[in-house]
Amino acid sequence: MAGQSKENTRYLNDAAADDDTIDFEIIELLFFAYRDFTSDPDAILEKSGFGRAHHRVVHFVDREPGMTVADLLDTLKITKQSLARVLKQLIDSGYIRQATGPEDRRQRMLYTTEEGQALARALAEPQSRRIADALARTGPGARETVKRFLAGMKNNAAD
């Protein structure tokens, strides 16, 4: 293995030995499921010059009207800097509106506008259809099993 350090070579050899303990099939199914799950919304977002970050913001603000910027940062696990550009674009485009908090005027509460609600629904509909079709093919009890599986995949399963 020319050009590789001893440490990298050792890692590659260890990884090859562990192939039987790695669930490549599930990993690949997750990659492909995510690719296809996001493909329909990606096509809709592209028309407005938006991406997946915009999708996440619109989704969570629509699901929890009045959430604060701090709550959104915590939900998305991103920095203020990475949210600022996306949020500004969504506000400037008329999809999100911002209001000051009733008790603390420094607090910024977020709401989807009618256009934002329509966008959130347009993005969620193909994803919801894809989920419903997959669950129907999976059989009875699939929804609860999938929910438990996905919750278990999160870093903090209690969230």
Side-chain angles (χ1 to χ4, degrees):
M1 296 187 184
Q4 293 188 3
S5 71
K6 286 183 181 182
E7 187 174 311
N8 283 345
T9 303
R10 184 179 52 92
Y11 173 78
L12 291 172
N13 290 337
D14 289 348
D18 288 340
D19 277 359
D20 58 334
T21 62
I22 297 174
D23 197 335
F24 287 111
E25 182 179 20
I26 297 295
I27 291 169
E28 290 166 6
L29 285 169
L30 283 169
F31 277 130
F32 297 136
Y34 181 74
R35 176 200 63 199
D36 295 345
F37 180 73
T38 57
S39 66
D40 296 318
D42 284 351
I44 295 166
L45 290 161
E46 188 177 353
K47 293 174 189 170
S48 300
F50 293 155
R52 290 185 187 157
H54 298 86
H55 183 183
R56 288 187 291 273
V57 170
V58 168
H59 173 83
F60 285 107
V61 171
D62 189 59
R63 295 287 295 146
E64 193 178 327
M67 79 182 318
T68 64
V69 170
D71 291 338
L72 184 58
L73 288 168
D74 188 52
T75 297
L76 297 175
K77 304 288 187 229
I78 59 174
T79 64
K80 281 184 188 179
Q81 185 178 4
S82 57
L83 176 61
R85 178 188 59 83
V86 169
L87 189 55
K88 181 176 178 0
Q89 289 173 326
L90 289 167
I91 291 169
D92 290 349
S93 298
Y95 293 104
I96 301 279
R97 72 178 176 82
Q98 199 170 242
T100 56
E103 292 95 32
D104 184 350
R105 300 198 44 79
R106 294 171 297 175
Q107 200 173 45
R108 293 184 296 156
M109 302 175 76
L110 303 172
Y111 301 87
T112 49
T113 62
E114 284 185 34
E115 293 84 4
Q117 290 171 2
L119 177 61
R121 297 304 180 279
L123 297 170
E125 284 171 358
Q127 290 182 317
S128 186
R129 278 193 306 273
R130 187 179 293 276
I131 290 167
D133 291 347
L135 290 173
R137 287 190 308 270
T138 305
R143 187 173 196 283
E144 290 307 313
T145 301
V146 169
K147 282 175 48 180
R148 280 193 311 275
F149 171 79
L150 292 172
M153 290 286 295
K154 291 170 49 177
N155 281 343
N156 183 353
D159 282 347

